[in-house]
Amino acid sequence: MTPQLTVIIPTYNRPQLLKLAVDSALNQTFQNLEVLVVDDASDEPVNLPEEPRLRVIRLERSRGGAGARNVGTEAAQGRWITYLDDDDSLLPHMVERSLAAIAHSSLPAPVGVLSGLEKVSQTGDILDTRLPPDHCPKGGDFFLEPLQSGRSYLTKQTLVVERDVILSIGGWDESFRSRVHSELFLRLNPACSLIGIPQVAYRLRSHAGPRVSDNMTLRQESFERLIDKHRTAFESHPRQFALFTYQHARTLKRQSQNKAALQAVALALRIHPPAITRNLFQDVPKLFPSFD
């Protein structure tokens, strides 16, 4: 039987965490699916138990997270696809509820769906819960649009969408090694309606291992590349552009990148001063290094 949905799991050197991710995908209440693991040239080839609904593709040369997702997208047998990071997990109802929401949507097709996400500690304590926006109609610019209170754009990992939609927009941009989801969604939302389920279905796990998002050199390069590639969209939403830049400054400061943080704050102020001023007065002690 052809699977209706494919869960694509790109992986690199995380054998213990990968097993948890794969198990969470196989243990969905919706069973007509396949799990496709794309091994991005790990030092040791992925070794998982035999399972009829599980496939593994090993790349001999690393293509990064975006490249591994492209390989998985092209090889997926399901009409619908979702992506699961190898250090995260799905809650059992994720696929079933996502497909049901799409089936009952009245938004213009094609339609993708986002779910709630929770961030958990290594001991399983919930650190943060994020719920997606209710809806983002086709033709929008996703995280640059105004956001309703209590909702978050930081739920992009939970996407369920038709495989052909991702292929039609050119797949994942492999020139990005960080901010790959943000870049994809700035091309996805103009071509695809997005609806949000206000229920948690994805678990983002904190751990001590390396993450691409912790590499500030990559994040800075990708920040600049993202704005250059999508400058028209950013400049069409100056308030959100400024807030996005300011949030980048806060991240830089947390990583002790003081000079780059100050430059990002200055840029945010030039883009939309009213959006930044109130936040800036609250954050001055955190953003500006001491000159004592």
Side-chain angles (χ1 to χ4, degrees), residues 37-80:
V37 174
V38 182
D39 180 1
D40 191 32
S42 297
D43 295 339
E44 295 292 332
V46 164
N47 182 17
L48 292 166
E50 292 287 333
E51 218 284 350
R53 294 177 298 145
L54 173 64
R55 287 194 288 151
V56 177
I57 297 175
R58 176 169 169 81
L59 305 184
E60 296 304 319
R61 177 182 60 85
S62 175
R63 288 176 56 175
R69 289 180 179 91
N70 280 337
V71 170
T73 304
E74 291 163 4
Q77 296 178 355
R79 173 186 174 186
W80 302 92

Coordinates of all heavy atoms in Angstrom, one line a residue, residues 37-80:
V37 N 14.5 8.1 6.8 CA 15.7 8.7 7.5 C 16.7 9.0 6.4 O 17.1 8.1 5.6 CB 16.2 7.8 8.5 CG1 17.5 8.3 9.1 CG2 15.2 7.6 9.6
V38 N 17.2 10.2 6.4 CA 18.3 10.6 5.4 C 19.5 10.9 6.2 O 19.6 11.8 7.0 CB 17.9 11.9 4.6 CG1 19.0 12.2 3.6 CG2 16.6 11.7 3.9
D39 N 20.5 9.9 6.1 CA 21.7 10.0 6.9 C 22.7 10.9 6.1 O 23.2 10.5 5.0 CB 22.3 8.6 7.0 CG 23.6 8.5 7.7 OD1 24.1 9.6 8.2 OD2 24.2 7.4 7.9
D40 N 23.0 12.1 6.6 CA 23.8 13.1 5.9 C 25.3 12.8 6.1 O 26.0 13.6 6.7 CB 23.4 14.5 6.5 CG 24.0 15.6 5.6 OD1 24.1 15.4 4.4 OD2 24.3 16.7 6.2
A41 N 25.7 11.6 5.7 CA 27.1 11.2 5.8 C 27.6 11.2 7.2 O 28.7 11.7 7.5 CB 28.0 12.1 4.9
S42 N 26.9 10.6 8.1 CA 27.3 10.5 9.5 C 28.6 9.7 9.5 O 28.9 8.9 8.6 CB 26.3 9.7 10.4 OG 25.1 10.5 10.4
D43 N 29.4 9.9 10.6 CA 30.7 9.1 10.7 C 30.5 7.6 10.7 O 31.3 6.9 10.1 CB 31.4 9.6 12.0 CG 31.8 11.0 12.0 OD1 31.9 11.6 10.9 OD2 32.0 11.6 13.1
E44 N 29.4 7.2 11.4 CA 29.0 5.8 11.4 C 27.6 5.7 10.7 O 26.7 6.4 11.1 CB 29.0 5.2 12.8 CG 30.3 5.1 13.5 CD 31.3 4.1 12.8 OE1 30.7 3.2 12.2 OE2 32.5 4.3 12.9
P45 N 27.5 4.8 9.7 CA 26.1 4.7 9.1 C 25.0 4.4 10.1 O 25.2 3.8 11.1 CB 26.3 3.6 8.1 CG 27.8 3.5 7.9 CD 28.4 3.9 9.1
V46 N 23.9 5.0 9.8 CA 22.7 4.8 10.7 C 22.4 3.3 10.7 O 22.4 2.6 9.7 CB 21.5 5.6 10.1 CG1 20.2 5.1 10.7 CG2 21.7 7.1 10.4
N47 N 22.1 2.8 12.0 CA 21.8 1.4 12.2 C 20.5 1.4 13.0 O 20.5 1.6 14.2 CB 22.9 0.7 12.9 CG 22.7 -0.8 13.1 OD1 21.8 -1.3 12.5 ND2 23.4 -1.4 14.0
L48 N 19.4 1.0 12.3 CA 18.1 1.0 13.0 C 17.5 -0.4 12.7 O 17.8 -1.1 11.7 CB 17.2 2.1 12.4 CG 17.6 3.5 12.7 CD1 16.8 4.5 11.8 CD2 17.3 3.9 14.1
P49 N 16.6 -0.8 13.6 CA 15.9 -2.1 13.5 C 15.1 -2.1 12.2 O 14.6 -1.1 11.8 CB 15.0 -2.2 14.7 CG 15.6 -1.2 15.7 CD 16.2 -0.1 14.9
E50 N 15.0 -3.3 11.6 CA 14.2 -3.5 10.4 C 12.7 -3.2 10.7 O 12.2 -3.6 11.8 CB 14.3 -4.9 9.9 CG 15.7 -5.2 9.3 CD 15.9 -4.5 8.0 OE1 14.9 -4.3 7.3 OE2 17.1 -4.3 7.6
E51 N 12.1 -2.5 9.9 CA 10.6 -2.1 10.0 C 10.1 -1.9 8.6 O 10.6 -1.1 7.9 CB 10.5 -0.9 10.9 CG 9.3 -0.9 11.9 CD 8.0 -0.6 11.2 OE1 7.9 -0.3 10.0 OE2 6.9 -0.8 11.9
P52 N 8.9 -2.5 8.3 CA 8.4 -2.3 6.9 C 8.2 -0.9 6.5 O 8.2 -0.6 5.3 CB 7.1 -3.2 7.0 CG 7.3 -4.1 8.1 CD 8.1 -3.4 9.1
R53 N 7.8 0.0 7.5 CA 7.5 1.4 7.1 C 8.7 2.3 7.2 O 8.5 3.5 7.1 CB 6.4 1.9 8.0 CG 5.0 1.1 7.8 CD 4.0 1.6 8.8 NE 4.4 1.3 10.1 CZ 4.1 2.1 11.2 NH1 3.4 3.2 11.0 NH2 4.5 1.8 12.4
L54 N 9.9 1.7 7.4 CA 11.1 2.6 7.6 C 12.1 2.4 6.5 O 12.4 1.2 6.1 CB 11.7 2.2 9.0 CG 13.1 2.8 9.3 CD1 13.0 4.3 9.4 CD2 13.7 2.2 10.6
R55 N 12.5 3.5 5.9 CA 13.6 3.4 4.9 C 14.7 4.4 5.4 O 14.5 5.4 6.0 CB 13.1 3.9 3.6 CG 12.2 3.0 2.9 CD 12.0 3.5 1.4 NE 11.2 4.7 1.3 CZ 11.4 5.6 0.3 NH1 12.4 5.4 -0.6 NH2 10.6 6.6 0.2
V56 N 16.0 4.0 5.0 CA 17.1 4.8 5.3 C 17.9 5.1 4.0 O 18.1 4.2 3.2 CB 18.1 4.1 6.3 CG1 19.3 5.0 6.5 CG2 17.4 3.9 7.6
I57 N 18.2 6.4 3.7 CA 19.0 6.8 2.6 C 20.3 7.3 3.2 O 20.2 8.3 4.0 CB 18.3 7.8 1.7 CG1 17.0 7.2 1.1 CG2 19.2 8.3 0.6 CD1 16.2 8.2 0.3
R58 N 21.4 6.8 2.8 CA 22.7 7.3 3.2 C 23.4 8.1 2.2 O 23.5 7.7 1.0 CB 23.6 6.2 3.7 CG 25.0 6.7 4.1 CD 25.8 5.7 4.8 NE 27.2 6.1 5.0 CZ 27.7 6.9 5.9 NH1 26.8 7.4 6.8 NH2 28.9 7.2 6.0
L59 N 23.8 9.4 2.5 CA 24.5 10.2 1.6 C 26.0 10.0 1.8 O 26.5 10.0 3.0 CB 24.1 11.7 1.8 CG 22.7 12.0 1.7 CD1 22.5 13.6 1.9 CD2 22.0 11.6 0.4
E60 N 26.7 9.8 0.8 CA 28.2 9.6 0.9 C 28.9 11.0 1.1 O 30.0 11.0 1.7 CB 28.7 8.9 -0.4 CG 28.2 7.5 -0.6 CD 28.4 6.7 0.6 OE1 29.5 6.7 1.2 OE2 27.5 5.9 1.0
R61 N 28.3 12.0 0.7 CA 28.8 13.4 1.0 C 27.8 14.2 1.7 O 26.6 14.3 1.2 CB 29.3 14.0 -0.4 CG 29.8 15.4 -0.2 CD 30.2 16.0 -1.6 NE 29.0 16.0 -2.5 CZ 28.1 17.0 -2.5 NH1 28.3 18.1 -1.7 NH2 27.1 17.0 -3.4
S62 N 28.2 14.9 2.7 CA 27.2 15.8 3.5 C 26.7 16.9 2.6 O 27.4 17.6 1.9 CB 27.9 16.3 4.7 OG 27.0 17.2 5.4
R63 N 25.4 17.1 2.7 CA 24.7 18.2 2.0 C 24.1 19.2 3.0 O 23.4 20.1 2.5 CB 23.7 17.7 1.0 CG 24.3 17.0 -0.2 CD 23.3 16.4 -1.1 NE 22.3 17.3 -1.6 CZ 21.3 17.0 -2.5 NH1 21.3 15.8 -3.0 NH2 20.4 17.9 -2.9
G64 N 24.2 18.9 4.3 CA 23.6 19.8 5.2 C 22.2 19.5 5.4 O 21.6 18.7 4.7
G65 N 21.6 20.2 6.4 CA 20.2 19.9 6.7 C 19.2 20.2 5.6 O 18.3 19.4 5.3
A66 N 19.4 21.3 4.9 CA 18.6 21.6 3.7 C 18.7 20.6 2.6 O 17.7 20.1 2.1 CB 18.9 23.0 3.2
G67 N 19.9 20.2 2.3 CA 20.2 19.2 1.3 C 19.6 17.8 1.7 O 19.0 17.2 0.8
A68 N 19.7 17.4 2.9 CA 19.2 16.1 3.3 C 17.6 16.2 3.2 O 17.0 15.2 2.9 CB 19.6 15.8 4.8
R69 N 17.0 17.3 3.6 CA 15.6 17.4 3.4 C 15.2 17.4 2.0 O 14.1 16.8 1.7 CB 15.1 18.8 4.1 CG 15.2 18.8 5.6 CD 14.7 20.1 6.2 NE 14.8 20.1 7.6 CZ 15.8 20.5 8.3 NH1 16.9 21.0 7.7 NH2 15.8 20.5 9.7
N70 N 16.0 17.9 1.1 CA 15.6 17.8 -0.3 C 15.7 16.4 -0.8 O 14.8 16.0 -1.6 CB 16.6 18.7 -1.2 CG 16.2 20.2 -1.1 OD1 15.1 20.5 -0.9 ND2 17.2 21.0 -1.4
V71 N 16.7 15.7 -0.4 CA 16.8 14.3 -0.8 C 15.6 13.5 -0.3 O 15.0 12.7 -1.0 CB 18.1 13.6 -0.2 CG1 18.1 12.1 -0.4 CG2 19.3 14.2 -0.9
G72 N 15.2 13.8 1.0 CA 14.0 13.1 1.5 C 12.7 13.5 0.8 O 11.9 12.6 0.5
T73 N 12.6 14.7 0.4 CA 11.4 15.2 -0.3 C 11.3 14.5 -1.6 O 10.2 14.1 -2.0 CB 11.4 16.7 -0.4 OG1 11.6 17.4 0.9 CG2 10.2 17.2 -1.1
E74 N 12.4 14.5 -2.3 CA 12.3 13.9 -3.7 C 12.0 12.4 -3.6 O 11.4 11.8 -4.5 CB 13.7 14.1 -4.4 CG 13.9 15.6 -4.7 CD 15.4 15.9 -5.0 OE1 16.2 15.0 -5.0 OE2 15.7 17.1 -5.2
A75 N 12.5 11.7 -2.5 CA 12.3 10.2 -2.4 C 11.0 9.8 -1.8 O 10.7 8.7 -1.8 CB 13.5 9.6 -1.7
A76 N 10.3 10.8 -1.1 CA 9.1 10.4 -0.4 C 8.1 9.8 -1.3 O 7.8 10.3 -2.4 CB 8.6 11.7 0.3
Q77 N 7.4 8.8 -0.7 CA 6.3 8.2 -1.5 C 4.9 8.7 -1.1 O 4.0 8.5 -1.9 CB 6.3 6.7 -1.2 CG 7.6 6.0 -1.7 CD 7.6 4.5 -1.4 OE1 6.7 4.0 -0.7 NE2 8.6 3.8 -1.8
G78 N 4.8 9.4 0.0 CA 3.5 9.9 0.5 C 3.2 11.2 -0.3 O 4.0 12.0 -0.7
R79 N 1.9 11.4 -0.5 CA 1.4 12.7 -1.0 C 1.7 13.8 -0.1 O 2.0 14.9 -0.5 CB -0.2 12.6 -1.2 CG -0.8 13.9 -1.6 CD -2.3 13.9 -1.7 NE -2.9 15.2 -1.9 CZ -4.2 15.4 -1.9 NH1 -5.0 14.5 -1.7 NH2 -4.6 16.7 -2.2
W80 N 1.6 13.5 1.2 CA 1.8 14.5 2.3 C 3.2 14.2 2.9 O 3.6 13.1 3.0 CB 0.7 14.5 3.3 CG -0.6 14.8 2.8 CD1 -1.5 13.8 2.3 CD2 -1.2 16.0 2.5 NE1 -2.6 14.4 1.8 CE2 -2.5 15.8 1.9 CE3 -0.8 17.3 2.8 CZ2 -3.3 16.8 1.6 CZ3 -1.7 18.4 2.4 CH2 -2.9 18.1 1.8

